[in-house]
Amino acid sequence: MGDLVIRNLNQSFPRDDGSRLVVLDDLSLTVQDKEFVCILGSSGCGKTTLLRMIAGLDTAESGSVVLDGEEIRGPNPKVGMVFQEYSLFPWRTVIDNIAFGLEMRGMPKGERHRVAEEYLELVNLSQFRDSFPSELSGGMRQRVAVARALALDPVLLLMDEPFGALDAQTRNKLQIELLEIWEKTKKTVVFITHSVDEAVFLADRIVVMTPRPGRICQVFEIRLPRPRDRTDREFAELRREVLDLINQHCSIQ
């Protein structure tokens, strides 16, 4: 099961003057198996720091991150991650980018290409199998990055503002495609965003963080049925409710 349990997480970083900058303060959160959770907050509130600790890329000063009953103490094969910057290898074709993690695990070429092609089809890019990243649009590159993460069959998929650098039309299209992929794969997803609209469109729950030091201000359960219509009255009311909360209670005092 893909339950993620974060308990009393604290993190700070040294300053030049010898003091420490507190980034996360006693943060606790549980994400259920197969749940799609968006973490929403202003720049500098610790969203990416939190994601890196969930991924095992950074170690917390105190507290714990437990996935599937096992504490995460370093990079974990059960966790996949998609970054905003795509992070594709420009010298590798699309199929070889998707297969890279499988290659690192020692899977034979024929088998890893078979697996990679399944996920290439899932993101609707089979016709670009032998293309290079420079030949793809930004949205297509991000779909390759999603396929690469999913090819490793993680229990948990972490996404750090994956659509933040894209234009609005492409971003909306990829949000729809991501939900289609999530419904097929049923992965547990933790998705970081600055966009209230994006969070309301995607999430089962929205976790709103305070400005630094990052704490959880409030959690919204989104009960709107999917697919969601951004022009729907209930969607607009919920978006306004989240924005009002951020402005009144979760903003810098």
Side-chain angles (χ1 to χ4, degrees):
M1 303 294 287
D3 289 355
L4 172 69
V5 181
I6 301 165
R7 296 190 184 98
N8 308 114
L9 214 58
N10 292 279
Q11 182 69 303
S12 65
F13 299 107
R15 297 177 187 262
D16 290 340
D17 63 4
S19 65
R20 297 192 69 85
L21 176 68
V22 179
V23 179
L24 296 177
D25 182 24
D26 198 31
L27 189 146
S28 296
L29 174 68
T30 297
V31 180
Q32 297 178 348
D33 182 47
K34 301 181 178 63
E35 190 176 18
F36 198 124
V37 169
C38 283
I39 297 179
L40 186 66
S42 59
S43 295
C45 74
K47 301 187 302 296
T48 296
T49 298
L50 173 61
L51 217 65
R52 288 181 61 84
M53 287 190 285
I54 297 172
L57 301 177
D58 290 335
T59 302
E61 284 185 324
S62 62
S64 63
V65 178
V66 177
L67 175 64
D68 197 17
E70 177 185 349
E71 186 169 359
I72 293 178
R73 298 180 180 275
N76 192 308
K78 293 182 178 181
V79 181
M81 194 160 184
V82 179
F83 302 91
Q84 180 176 337
E85 301 83 6
Y86 319 130
S87 302
L88 301 180
F89 298 113
W91 60 88
R92 295 177 72 112
T93 61
V94 165
I95 191 72
D96 284 329
N97 263 287
I98 295 173
F100 175 75
L102 301 172
E103 182 180 346
M104 293 300 98
R105 290 184 179 179
M107 184 179 289
K109 183 176 181 179
E111 177 66 10
R112 66 178 181 258
H113 275 196
R114 183 193 65 76
V115 173
E117 283 168 354
E118 290 180 9
Y119 288 95
L120 194 56
E121 184 176 352
L122 184 67
V123 297
N124 298 311
L125 286 176
S126 295
Q127 66 271 38
F128 297 96
R129 179 188 190 280
D130 298 316
S131 299
F132 289 91
S134 62
E135 300 171 311
L136 306 179
S137 68
M140 292 163 71
R141 291 177 200 169
Q142 198 57 291
R143 282 151 68 189
V144 173
V146 170
R148 181 178 60 184
L150 290 173
L152 294 170
D153 195 25
V155 171
L156 171 66
L157 182 63
L158 305 177
M159 308 189 78
D160 190 2
E161 298 189 67
F163 308 144
L166 304 175
D167 64 86
Q169 184 176 355
T170 302
R171 185 171 184 158
N172 289 350
K173 183 173 184 289
L174 287 186
Q175 289 167 5
I176 294 169
E177 292 182 0
L178 175 61
L179 285 176
E180 291 173 350
I181 291 168
W182 171 71
E183 287 171 357
K184 290 176 182 176
T185 62
K186 289 302 180 185
K187 301 296 182 185
T188 306
V189 176
V190 176
F191 185 108
I192 282 181
T193 181
H194 282 100
S195 169
V196 173
D197 183 272
E198 183 168 65
V200 173
F201 186 79
L202 291 174
D204 292 318
R205 286 190 300 151
I206 298 173
V207 177
V208 181
M209 291 181 62
T210 63
R212 190 173 57 235
R215 306 182 183 95
I216 292 178
C217 178
Q218 188 162 326
V219 178
F220 285 89
E221 289 198 26
I222 311 300
R223 302 187 182 277
L224 298 178
R226 296 184 177 96
R228 294 170 184 166
D229 184 349
R230 299 173 201 271
T231 64
D232 183 78
R233 178 178 58 83
E234 289 182 290
F235 188 101
E237 288 177 352
L238 185 54
R239 180 175 52 205
R240 187 180 308 112
E241 182 181 351
V242 177
L243 279 170
D244 286 347
L245 172 90
I246 292 171
N247 292 333
Q248 294 174 19
H249 301 292
C250 300
S251 58
I252 299 173
Q253 300 299 317

Short mmCIF file of all heavy atoms in Angstrom, two decimals, residues 8-65:
data_model
loop_
_atom_site.label_atom_id
_atom_site.label_comp_id
_atom_site.label_asym_id
_atom_site.label_seq_id
_atom_site.Cartn_x
_atom_site.Cartn_y
_atom_site.Cartn_z
N ASN A 8 6.06 15.14 12.46
CA ASN A 8 6.85 16.12 13.21
C ASN A 8 8.17 16.47 12.51
O ASN A 8 9.24 16.47 13.12
CB ASN A 8 7.14 15.60 14.62
CG ASN A 8 5.88 15.15 15.32
OD1 ASN A 8 5.70 13.96 15.60
ND2 ASN A 8 4.98 16.07 15.61
N LEU A 9 8.07 16.81 11.23
CA LEU A 9 9.26 17.08 10.43
C LEU A 9 9.77 18.50 10.69
O LEU A 9 9.02 19.47 10.65
CB LEU A 9 8.91 16.91 8.95
CG LEU A 9 9.98 16.36 8.01
CD1 LEU A 9 10.47 15.00 8.49
CD2 LEU A 9 9.41 16.24 6.60
N ASN A 10 11.07 18.59 10.95
CA ASN A 10 11.73 19.89 11.15
C ASN A 10 12.97 19.96 10.27
O ASN A 10 13.71 18.98 10.15
CB ASN A 10 12.14 20.07 12.61
CG ASN A 10 10.95 20.21 13.54
OD1 ASN A 10 10.37 21.29 13.67
ND2 ASN A 10 10.56 19.12 14.19
N GLN A 11 13.17 21.14 9.68
CA GLN A 11 14.36 21.33 8.86
C GLN A 11 14.78 22.79 8.89
O GLN A 11 13.95 23.71 8.86
CB GLN A 11 14.08 20.91 7.41
CG GLN A 11 15.26 21.00 6.47
CD GLN A 11 16.34 19.98 6.77
OE1 GLN A 11 16.86 19.94 7.89
NE2 GLN A 11 16.68 19.15 5.81
N SER A 12 16.09 23.01 8.99
CA SER A 12 16.63 24.36 8.92
C SER A 12 17.98 24.31 8.21
O SER A 12 18.58 23.24 8.06
CB SER A 12 16.79 24.96 10.32
OG SER A 12 17.77 24.24 11.07
N PHE A 13 18.43 25.48 7.75
CA PHE A 13 19.69 25.56 7.03
C PHE A 13 20.55 26.68 7.64
O PHE A 13 20.02 27.69 8.12
CB PHE A 13 19.45 25.86 5.54
CG PHE A 13 18.65 24.80 4.85
CD1 PHE A 13 17.33 25.01 4.49
CD2 PHE A 13 19.23 23.56 4.56
CE1 PHE A 13 16.60 24.02 3.85
CE2 PHE A 13 18.51 22.57 3.92
CZ PHE A 13 17.19 22.80 3.57
N PRO A 14 21.87 26.50 7.63
CA PRO A 14 22.75 27.52 8.23
C PRO A 14 22.77 28.81 7.43
O PRO A 14 22.72 28.80 6.20
CB PRO A 14 24.12 26.83 8.22
CG PRO A 14 24.04 25.82 7.12
CD PRO A 14 22.63 25.35 7.09
N ARG A 15 22.84 29.93 8.16
CA ARG A 15 23.03 31.25 7.55
C ARG A 15 24.50 31.64 7.65
O ARG A 15 25.26 31.06 8.42
CB ARG A 15 22.19 32.30 8.27
CG ARG A 15 20.69 32.12 8.24
CD ARG A 15 20.06 33.23 9.07
NE ARG A 15 18.64 33.11 9.27
CZ ARG A 15 17.72 33.76 8.56
NH1 ARG A 15 18.11 34.57 7.57
NH2 ARG A 15 16.44 33.63 8.83
N ASP A 16 24.86 32.66 6.89
CA ASP A 16 26.24 33.14 6.92
C ASP A 16 26.64 33.70 8.28
O ASP A 16 27.81 33.66 8.66
CB ASP A 16 26.43 34.23 5.85
CG ASP A 16 26.37 33.68 4.44
OD1 ASP A 16 26.56 32.45 4.27
OD2 ASP A 16 26.12 34.47 3.50
N ASP A 17 25.65 34.22 9.03
CA ASP A 17 25.96 34.82 10.33
C ASP A 17 26.02 33.80 11.46
O ASP A 17 26.18 34.15 12.63
CB ASP A 17 24.95 35.92 10.67
CG ASP A 17 23.52 35.38 10.83
OD1 ASP A 17 23.34 34.14 10.74
OD2 ASP A 17 22.60 36.20 11.02
N GLY A 18 25.89 32.51 11.12
CA GLY A 18 25.97 31.46 12.12
C GLY A 18 24.63 31.02 12.68
O GLY A 18 24.56 30.00 13.37
N SER A 19 23.59 31.79 12.42
CA SER A 19 22.25 31.38 12.86
C SER A 19 21.69 30.36 11.86
O SER A 19 22.34 30.02 10.87
CB SER A 19 21.33 32.60 12.95
OG SER A 19 21.13 33.16 11.66
N ARG A 20 20.49 29.89 12.11
CA ARG A 20 19.86 28.92 11.23
C ARG A 20 18.52 29.44 10.73
O ARG A 20 17.76 30.07 11.48
CB ARG A 20 19.69 27.57 11.91
CG ARG A 20 21.03 26.92 12.30
CD ARG A 20 20.86 25.48 12.72
NE ARG A 20 20.50 24.60 11.62
CZ ARG A 20 21.39 24.04 10.79
NH1 ARG A 20 22.68 24.30 10.93
NH2 ARG A 20 20.99 23.23 9.84
N LEU A 21 18.25 29.18 9.47
CA LEU A 21 16.98 29.56 8.85
C LEU A 21 16.03 28.37 8.96
O LEU A 21 16.28 27.31 8.38
CB LEU A 21 17.20 29.91 7.38
CG LEU A 21 15.95 30.23 6.56
CD1 LEU A 21 15.32 31.53 7.03
CD2 LEU A 21 16.30 30.30 5.07
N VAL A 22 14.94 28.53 9.72
CA VAL A 22 13.97 27.45 9.88
C VAL A 22 13.07 27.40 8.65
O VAL A 22 12.39 28.39 8.33
CB VAL A 22 13.13 27.66 11.16
CG1 VAL A 22 12.11 26.53 11.31
CG2 VAL A 22 14.04 27.72 12.38
N VAL A 23 13.06 26.26 7.98
CA VAL A 23 12.29 26.10 6.75
C VAL A 23 11.00 25.34 6.99
O VAL A 23 9.93 25.71 6.49
CB VAL A 23 13.15 25.39 5.67
CG1 VAL A 23 12.34 25.21 4.39
CG2 VAL A 23 14.41 26.19 5.39
N LEU A 24 11.08 24.25 7.75
CA LEU A 24 9.89 23.46 8.11
C LEU A 24 9.83 23.35 9.63
O LEU A 24 10.84 23.10 10.28
CB LEU A 24 9.95 22.07 7.49
CG LEU A 24 9.92 21.97 5.96
CD1 LEU A 24 10.08 20.53 5.52
CD2 LEU A 24 8.64 22.57 5.40
N ASP A 25 8.63 23.51 10.16
CA ASP A 25 8.47 23.53 11.62
C ASP A 25 7.38 22.54 12.05
O ASP A 25 6.19 22.79 11.85
CB ASP A 25 8.10 24.95 12.06
CG ASP A 25 7.95 25.07 13.57
OD1 ASP A 25 8.55 24.25 14.29
OD2 ASP A 25 7.23 25.98 14.02
N ASP A 26 7.80 21.40 12.58
CA ASP A 26 6.90 20.41 13.18
C ASP A 26 5.75 20.05 12.24
O ASP A 26 4.58 20.06 12.62
CB ASP A 26 6.35 20.94 14.51
CG ASP A 26 5.78 19.82 15.37
OD1 ASP A 26 6.28 18.69 15.29
OD2 ASP A 26 4.83 20.09 16.12
N LEU A 27 6.09 19.69 11.02
CA LEU A 27 5.08 19.42 9.99
C LEU A 27 4.71 17.94 10.01
O LEU A 27 5.58 17.07 9.94
CB LEU A 27 5.61 19.83 8.61
CG LEU A 27 4.60 19.80 7.46
CD1 LEU A 27 4.90 20.92 6.47
CD2 LEU A 27 4.59 18.46 6.74
N SER A 28 3.41 17.66 10.08
CA SER A 28 2.90 16.29 10.04
C SER A 28 1.79 16.20 9.00
O SER A 28 0.96 17.11 8.88
CB SER A 28 2.36 15.86 11.40
OG SER A 28 3.38 15.83 12.38
N LEU A 29 1.77 15.09 8.26
CA LEU A 29 0.78 14.92 7.20
C LEU A 29 0.70 13.44 6.85
O LEU A 29 1.73 12.75 6.81
CB LEU A 29 1.19 15.72 5.95
CG LEU A 29 0.34 15.54 4.69
CD1 LEU A 29 -1.06 16.14 4.91
CD2 LEU A 29 1.02 16.19 3.49
N THR A 30 -0.51 12.96 6.58
CA THR A 30 -0.70 11.60 6.08
C THR A 30 -1.37 11.66 4.72
O THR A 30 -2.37 12.37 4.54
CB THR A 30 -1.57 10.76 7.04
OG1 THR A 30 -0.88 10.64 8.29
CG2 THR A 30 -1.83 9.38 6.48
N VAL A 31 -0.80 10.95 3.76
CA VAL A 31 -1.37 10.83 2.42
C VAL A 31 -1.75 9.37 2.22
O VAL A 31 -0.90 8.48 2.36
CB VAL A 31 -0.37 11.28 1.33
CG1 VAL A 31 -0.99 11.13 -0.06
CG2 VAL A 31 0.07 12.72 1.57
N GLN A 32 -2.99 9.12 1.88
CA GLN A 32 -3.46 7.75 1.76
C GLN A 32 -3.09 7.13 0.42
O GLN A 32 -2.83 7.82 -0.56
CB GLN A 32 -4.98 7.70 1.96
CG GLN A 32 -5.43 8.16 3.34
CD GLN A 32 -6.93 8.15 3.51
OE1 GLN A 32 -7.67 8.03 2.54
NE2 GLN A 32 -7.39 8.28 4.73
N ASP A 33 -3.06 5.81 0.41
CA ASP A 33 -2.77 5.05 -0.80
C ASP A 33 -3.70 5.47 -1.94
O ASP A 33 -4.91 5.60 -1.75
CB ASP A 33 -2.95 3.56 -0.50
CG ASP A 33 -2.63 2.68 -1.69
OD1 ASP A 33 -1.57 2.90 -2.32
OD2 ASP A 33 -3.42 1.77 -1.99
N LYS A 34 -3.13 5.73 -3.11
CA LYS A 34 -3.84 6.09 -4.34
C LYS A 34 -4.47 7.49 -4.30
O LYS A 34 -5.23 7.86 -5.19
CB LYS A 34 -4.91 5.05 -4.70
CG LYS A 34 -4.39 3.65 -4.91
CD LYS A 34 -5.50 2.69 -5.29
CE LYS A 34 -4.98 1.29 -5.57
NZ LYS A 34 -4.35 0.67 -4.39
N GLU A 35 -4.13 8.28 -3.28
CA GLU A 35 -4.68 9.63 -3.16
C GLU A 35 -3.85 10.61 -3.98
O GLU A 35 -2.65 10.45 -4.16
CB GLU A 35 -4.66 10.06 -1.69
CG GLU A 35 -5.42 11.34 -1.42
CD GLU A 35 -5.48 11.70 0.06
OE1 GLU A 35 -4.65 11.16 0.84
OE2 GLU A 35 -6.32 12.52 0.44
N PHE A 36 -4.52 11.63 -4.50
CA PHE A 36 -3.86 12.72 -5.24
C PHE A 36 -3.92 13.96 -4.36
O PHE A 36 -5.00 14.54 -4.18
CB PHE A 36 -4.56 12.97 -6.58
CG PHE A 36 -3.74 13.74 -7.58
CD1 PHE A 36 -3.48 13.22 -8.83
CD2 PHE A 36 -3.20 14.99 -7.27
CE1 PHE A 36 -2.71 13.91 -9.76
CE2 PHE A 36 -2.45 15.70 -8.19
CZ PHE A 36 -2.20 15.16 -9.44
N VAL A 37 -2.78 14.35 -3.81
CA VAL A 37 -2.70 15.49 -2.89
C VAL A 37 -1.86 16.60 -3.52
O VAL A 37 -0.75 16.35 -4.00
CB VAL A 37 -2.10 15.07 -1.54
CG1 VAL A 37 -1.77 16.28 -0.68
CG2 VAL A 37 -3.06 14.14 -0.80
N CYS A 38 -2.40 17.81 -3.50
CA CYS A 38 -1.64 18.98 -3.94
C CYS A 38 -1.19 19.78 -2.72
O CYS A 38 -1.99 20.02 -1.81
CB CYS A 38 -2.48 19.87 -4.85
SG CYS A 38 -2.68 19.25 -6.53
N ILE A 39 0.07 20.18 -2.73
CA ILE A 39 0.60 21.05 -1.68
C ILE A 39 0.75 22.44 -2.26
O ILE A 39 1.43 22.64 -3.27
CB ILE A 39 1.94 20.52 -1.16
CG1 ILE A 39 1.75 19.14 -0.52
CG2 ILE A 39 2.55 21.48 -0.16
CD1 ILE A 39 3.01 18.51 0.01
N LEU A 40 0.09 23.38 -1.62
CA LEU A 40 -0.03 24.74 -2.14
C LEU A 40 0.60 25.71 -1.16
O LEU A 40 0.38 25.62 0.06
CB LEU A 40 -1.51 25.06 -2.32
CG LEU A 40 -1.94 26.36 -2.97
CD1 LEU A 40 -1.50 26.41 -4.44
CD2 LEU A 40 -3.45 26.50 -2.89
N GLY A 41 1.40 26.62 -1.68
CA GLY A 41 2.02 27.61 -0.80
C GLY A 41 2.87 28.58 -1.58
O GLY A 41 3.21 28.35 -2.74
N SER A 42 3.23 29.68 -0.94
CA SER A 42 4.02 30.72 -1.59
C SER A 42 5.48 30.28 -1.75
O SER A 42 5.92 29.30 -1.14
CB SER A 42 3.97 32.01 -0.76
OG SER A 42 4.46 31.77 0.54
N SER A 43 6.22 30.99 -2.57
CA SER A 43 7.63 30.69 -2.77
C SER A 43 8.37 30.81 -1.44
O SER A 43 8.14 31.75 -0.66
CB SER A 43 8.25 31.67 -3.78
OG SER A 43 7.69 31.50 -5.05
N GLY A 44 9.25 29.84 -1.17
CA GLY A 44 10.05 29.87 0.03
C GLY A 44 9.40 29.26 1.26
O GLY A 44 9.98 29.30 2.35
N CYS A 45 8.19 28.67 1.09
CA CYS A 45 7.51 28.13 2.27
C CYS A 45 8.00 26.72 2.64
O CYS A 45 7.58 26.17 3.66
CB CYS A 45 6.00 28.12 2.06
SG CYS A 45 5.40 26.84 0.94
N GLY A 46 8.86 26.13 1.82
CA GLY A 46 9.42 24.83 2.14
C GLY A 46 8.81 23.67 1.38
O GLY A 46 9.07 22.50 1.71
N LYS A 47 8.03 23.95 0.34
CA LYS A 47 7.37 22.88 -0.42
C LYS A 47 8.39 21.93 -1.05
O LYS A 47 8.29 20.70 -0.91
CB LYS A 47 6.48 23.46 -1.53
CG LYS A 47 5.37 24.38 -1.05
CD LYS A 47 4.44 24.79 -2.18
CE LYS A 47 5.12 25.49 -3.34
NZ LYS A 47 5.72 26.79 -2.97
N THR A 48 9.38 22.50 -1.74
CA THR A 48 10.38 21.66 -2.41
C THR A 48 11.27 20.95 -1.38
O THR A 48 11.64 19.79 -1.57
CB THR A 48 11.23 22.50 -3.38
OG1 THR A 48 10.38 23.00 -4.42
CG2 THR A 48 12.33 21.66 -4.01
N THR A 49 11.60 21.63 -0.29
CA THR A 49 12.37 20.99 0.78
C THR A 49 11.62 19.77 1.30
O THR A 49 12.20 18.69 1.50
CB THR A 49 12.62 21.99 1.93
OG1 THR A 49 13.41 23.08 1.43
CG2 THR A 49 13.35 21.32 3.07
N LEU A 50 10.32 19.92 1.52
CA LEU A 50 9.50 18.80 1.97
C LEU A 50 9.53 17.66 0.97
O LEU A 50 9.71 16.49 1.35
CB LEU A 50 8.06 19.28 2.19
CG LEU A 50 7.02 18.20 2.52
CD1 LEU A 50 7.38 17.48 3.81
CD2 LEU A 50 5.63 18.81 2.60
N LEU A 51 9.38 17.99 -0.31
CA LEU A 51 9.38 16.95 -1.33
C LEU A 51 10.71 16.21 -1.40
O LEU A 51 10.75 14.99 -1.56
CB LEU A 51 9.05 17.57 -2.69
CG LEU A 51 8.18 16.71 -3.62
CD1 LEU A 51 6.80 16.53 -3.01
CD2 LEU A 51 8.07 17.34 -5.00
N ARG A 52 11.80 16.94 -1.25
CA ARG A 52 13.12 16.31 -1.29
C ARG A 52 13.33 15.36 -0.11
O ARG A 52 13.98 14.33 -0.24
CB ARG A 52 14.22 17.38 -1.32
CG ARG A 52 14.32 18.12 -2.64
CD ARG A 52 15.45 19.15 -2.62
NE ARG A 52 16.74 18.52 -2.39
CZ ARG A 52 17.50 17.98 -3.34
NH1 ARG A 52 17.08 17.96 -4.59
NH2 ARG A 52 18.67 17.44 -3.05
N MET A 53 12.75 15.69 1.03
CA MET A 53 12.87 14.78 2.17
C MET A 53 11.98 13.55 1.99
O MET A 53 12.36 12.45 2.39
CB MET A 53 12.55 15.53 3.46
CG MET A 53 13.68 16.48 3.86
SD MET A 53 13.48 17.15 5.53
CE MET A 53 12.19 18.32 5.23
N ILE A 54 10.82 13.73 1.39
CA ILE A 54 9.98 12.57 1.08
C ILE A 54 10.70 11.65 0.10
O ILE A 54 10.64 10.42 0.21
CB ILE A 54 8.62 13.01 0.51
CG1 ILE A 54 7.84 13.83 1.54
CG2 ILE A 54 7.80 11.79 0.07
CD1 ILE A 54 6.58 14.47 0.97
N ALA A 55 11.42 12.25 -0.85
CA ALA A 55 12.15 11.47 -1.85
C ALA A 55 13.41 10.83 -1.30
O ALA A 55 14.03 9.99 -1.96
CB ALA A 55 12.52 12.37 -3.04
N GLY A 56 13.83 11.23 -0.10
CA GLY A 56 15.05 10.70 0.47
C GLY A 56 16.30 11.39 -0.03
O GLY A 56 17.42 10.91 0.18
N LEU A 57 16.14 12.55 -0.67
CA LEU A 57 17.29 13.29 -1.20
C LEU A 57 17.94 14.17 -0.14
O LEU A 57 19.11 14.51 -0.25
CB LEU A 57 16.86 14.15 -2.40
CG LEU A 57 16.24 13.39 -3.57
CD1 LEU A 57 15.79 14.36 -4.66
CD2 LEU A 57 17.24 12.37 -4.14
N ASP A 58 17.16 14.56 0.87
CA ASP A 58 17.67 15.34 2.00
C ASP A 58 17.22 14.67 3.29
O ASP A 58 16.20 13.97 3.32
CB ASP A 58 17.14 16.78 1.97
CG ASP A 58 17.74 17.61 0.85
OD1 ASP A 58 18.85 17.27 0.40
OD2 ASP A 58 17.08 18.57 0.41
N THR A 59 17.98 14.90 4.35
CA THR A 59 17.66 14.33 5.66
C THR A 59 17.13 15.42 6.58
O THR A 59 17.72 16.50 6.68
CB THR A 59 18.91 13.68 6.29
OG1 THR A 59 19.41 12.68 5.41
CG2 THR A 59 18.57 13.05 7.63
N ALA A 60 16.02 15.13 7.26
CA ALA A 60 15.44 16.10 8.18
C ALA A 60 16.26 16.19 9.45
O ALA A 60 16.92 15.24 9.86
CB ALA A 60 14.01 15.69 8.52
N GLU A 61 16.21 17.36 10.11
CA GLU A 61 16.85 17.51 11.42
C GLU A 61 16.18 16.61 12.44
O GLU A 61 16.83 16.01 13.29
CB GLU A 61 16.75 18.97 11.87
CG GLU A 61 17.70 19.88 11.18
CD GLU A 61 17.66 21.28 11.75
OE1 GLU A 61 16.58 21.75 12.13
OE2 GLU A 61 18.72 21.91 11.82
N SER A 62 14.86 16.54 12.37
CA SER A 62 14.12 15.64 13.26
C SER A 62 12.79 15.31 12.60
O SER A 62 12.35 15.97 11.66
CB SER A 62 13.89 16.28 14.63
OG SER A 62 13.10 17.46 14.51
N GLY A 63 12.14 14.26 13.10
CA GLY A 63 10.90 13.79 12.50
C GLY A 63 11.17 12.62 11.57
O GLY A 63 12.31 12.17 11.42
N SER A 64 10.11 12.12 10.97
CA SER A 64 10.26 10.94 10.11
C SER A 64 9.32 11.00 8.92
O SER A 64 8.28 11.67 8.94
CB SER A 64 9.98 9.66 10.91
OG SER A 64 8.64 9.65 11.38
N VAL A 65 9.72 10.28 7.86
CA VAL A 65 8.90 10.08 6.67
C VAL A 65 8.79 8.57 6.46
O VAL A 65 9.81 7.89 6.30
CB VAL A 65 9.53 10.74 5.42
CG1 VAL A 65 8.66 10.47 4.19
CG2 VAL A 65 9.70 12.24 5.63
#
